[in-house]
Amino acid sequence: GSFNMTFTELKTVAEQGIPIKIMILDNESQMMVEYWQRLFHDERLLAVRNINPDYRTLADAFRIKNVYCDCEEEIEEKMREFLFDYDDEPVLFHVRINRTPCLPLVAPGQPLDDMILEDIEVEVDPGAAPS
């Protein structure tokens, strides 16, 4: 979901010919937002599922090379192509992944050494989170 907030920068990448590697791990969701809503807002979920564009079509529109992978069996081959086949030009790698919790997470008002590291029931102060 976060790439959707910045994908207009593909225009700059294309115009300037910036040879960067862009990898999108696409689970069609805002998992950090969802996790916060689960923990601190009594599981009231809002705007956590995305309908994403076809990033390959978006890359094609800017004439940026792109690679797509939606199965574990092809990931090694596709990763090799992404990393080594396009040295002097930008390339976008769209990888479809399963939804998983966005961890580690630091609860509001907590020190960094008190991170939530696992997807287990934890005691939190719901009043500490911004509304």
Side-chain angles (χ1 to χ4, degrees):
S2 58
F3 186 70
N4 292 342
M5 296 179 222
T6 61
F7 66 60
T8 57
E9 294 301 330
L10 289 176
K11 181 178 186 298
T12 303
V13 169
E15 287 176 345
Q16 300 300 314
I18 303 168
I20 62 172
K21 310 280 188 196
I22 302 165
M23 177 184 248
I24 301 169
L25 300 176
D26 180 8
N27 62 8
E28 293 189 338
S29 64
Q30 299 278 352
M31 286 307 297
M32 185 182 302
V33 174
E34 180 174 331
Y35 214 74
W36 271 64
Q37 291 174 357
R38 281 182 37 211
L39 288 174
F40 307 112
H41 298 287
D42 200 27
E43 297 202 34
R44 292 186 310 269
L45 304 180
L46 176 67
V48 294
R49 295 294 180 107
N50 296 331
I51 297 174
N52 290 329
D54 180 338
Y55 296 115
R56 293 170 293 178
T57 302
L58 186 62
D60 285 341
F62 290 106
R63 294 180 209 91
I64 293 175
K65 298 284 188 211
N66 58 88
V67 179
Y68 177 76
C69 187
D70 64 357
C71 67
E72 192 173 336
E73 296 78 28
E74 294 181 356
I75 191 69
E76 190 174 330
E77 171 194 340
K78 299 290 185 169
M79 181 65 84
R80 192 174 290 111
E81 177 185 354
F82 168 66
L83 292 174
F84 303 113
D85 286 3
Y86 310 102
D87 291 336
D88 298 326
E89 58 188 319
V91 59
L92 182 143
F93 187 16
H94 180 188
V95 183
R96 297 278 307 158
I97 62 170
N98 295 327
R99 291 170 31 86
T100 57
C102 185
L103 296 171
L105 176 86
V106 178
Q110 298 301 310
L112 289 177
D113 62 349
D114 192 17
M115 290 183 185
I116 299 170
L117 300 172
E118 299 177 75
D119 188 24
I120 58 175
E121 289 291 321
V122 292
E123 195 170 312
V124 297
D125 176 8
S131 57

